[in-house]
Amino acid sequence: RLERARATDPAGAPPRERPALHRGLGRAYAGSGDLTKAVAILKAAFEDALSDPPDAALITAFGTYLANAYTDCGEYPAAHAVLASVLQREPELAPGNVLQLEWALARTYVEHGHLRIAETYTRRVLARLEVTEQDQLVGQAHLLLGRILLDQHRLEEAEAHIDTSESLLASAANVEVANVALDRARIHLLRGDLDRAQASAREALGR
């Protein structure tokens, strides 16, 4: 439907005029696993936002999604380069745009193995989100922080954040709740409790 909308728009649906269309299309391709198309669409949109006159809000929106797509492809230097361009606009950004940027930075640093830096950015995201009523976003942030702590073998701290995420994501899609169960399985594995690890993994499979 998004491709049809882009094809039939008489103006050609340029990214700057139809940001939600291009952002949604890039996310749809990423969500379906076609990261090459996702990167192509989001890169074109990002370059359009950077052209004169540059649009800081759109640079952030397209740039963070593009960086996430690069991260999912394993192209970490490209993700860092995009985020560096976005960071140059940080003084011009609204709080919501800064939150998007910090979340993308956290994900990229996690995948690159810079866990302490990723932890710092994730804690900033949590601090911004916890004054809102967006329970599912707060739950996802707690889950990300739990994973970062798990990767550092800080099990007690990780478990506390995963417990919090479980309650906040109770009404989320099954894939989100399955992720909580998978992280619980990792905790049990690291503690050597194979029976509980297997039970949590089976719960994730069921979901």
Side-chain angles (χ1 to χ4, degrees), residues 29-201:
Y29 278 124
S32 65
D34 194 339
L35 292 170
T36 301
K37 279 190 178 177
V39 165
I41 288 162
L42 292 167
K43 184 179 179 184
F46 181 60
E47 289 171 352
D48 186 45
L50 283 168
S51 63
D52 287 333
D55 185 319
L58 287 182
I59 288 168
T60 308
F62 291 135
T64 51
Y65 285 122
L66 177 58
N68 283 333
Y70 276 135
T71 297
D72 291 339
C73 289
E75 296 184 27
Y76 309 125
H80 278 292
V82 170
L83 291 170
S85 295
V86 178
L87 279 166
Q88 292 175 9
R89 305 283 171 180
E90 188 174 8
E92 307 166 50
L93 299 180
N97 294 127
V98 174
L99 189 150
Q100 274 189 309
L101 174 59
E102 289 178 342
W103 195 303
L105 284 162
R107 285 197 69 231
T108 303
Y109 278 122
V110 167
E111 297 298 333
H112 214 58
H114 298 298
L115 299 177
R116 291 288 187 176
I117 304 172
E119 181 183 344
T120 298
Y121 277 111
T122 308
R123 290 189 186 280
R124 287 186 194 175
V125 168
L126 264 176
R128 292 182 191 279
L129 283 173
E130 283 175 343
V131 299
T132 73
E133 296 181 358
Q134 302 180 67
D135 284 355
Q136 290 198 12
L137 278 178
V138 176
Q140 289 166 5
H142 276 287
L143 190 59
L144 178 60
L145 182 53
R147 287 173 181 166
I148 292 167
L149 296 168
L150 263 180
D151 287 344
Q152 299 174 70
H153 288 220
R154 292 157 65 185
L155 301 189
E156 301 300 326
E157 293 174 80
E159 190 167 35
H161 285 285
I162 290 166
D163 286 344
T164 302
S165 75
E166 185 172 35
S167 62
L168 291 168
L169 295 172
S171 61
N174 268 339
V175 67
E176 298 292 349
V177 186
N179 282 330
V180 175
L182 282 173
D183 287 327
R184 284 205 182 284
R186 287 186 63 204
I187 290 173
H188 297 317
L189 274 174
L190 288 168
R191 287 179 172 154
D193 190 338
L194 300 184
D195 289 340
R196 293 181 72 186
Q198 184 180 103
S200 292

Side-chain angles (χ1 to χ4, degrees), residues 10-37:
R16 200 179 290 242
E17 291 182 24
R18 298 285 188 274
L21 171 59
H22 288 260
R23 188 170 62 245
L25 189 56
R27 292 183 67 195
Y29 278 124
S32 65
D34 194 339
L35 292 170
T36 301
K37 279 190 178 177

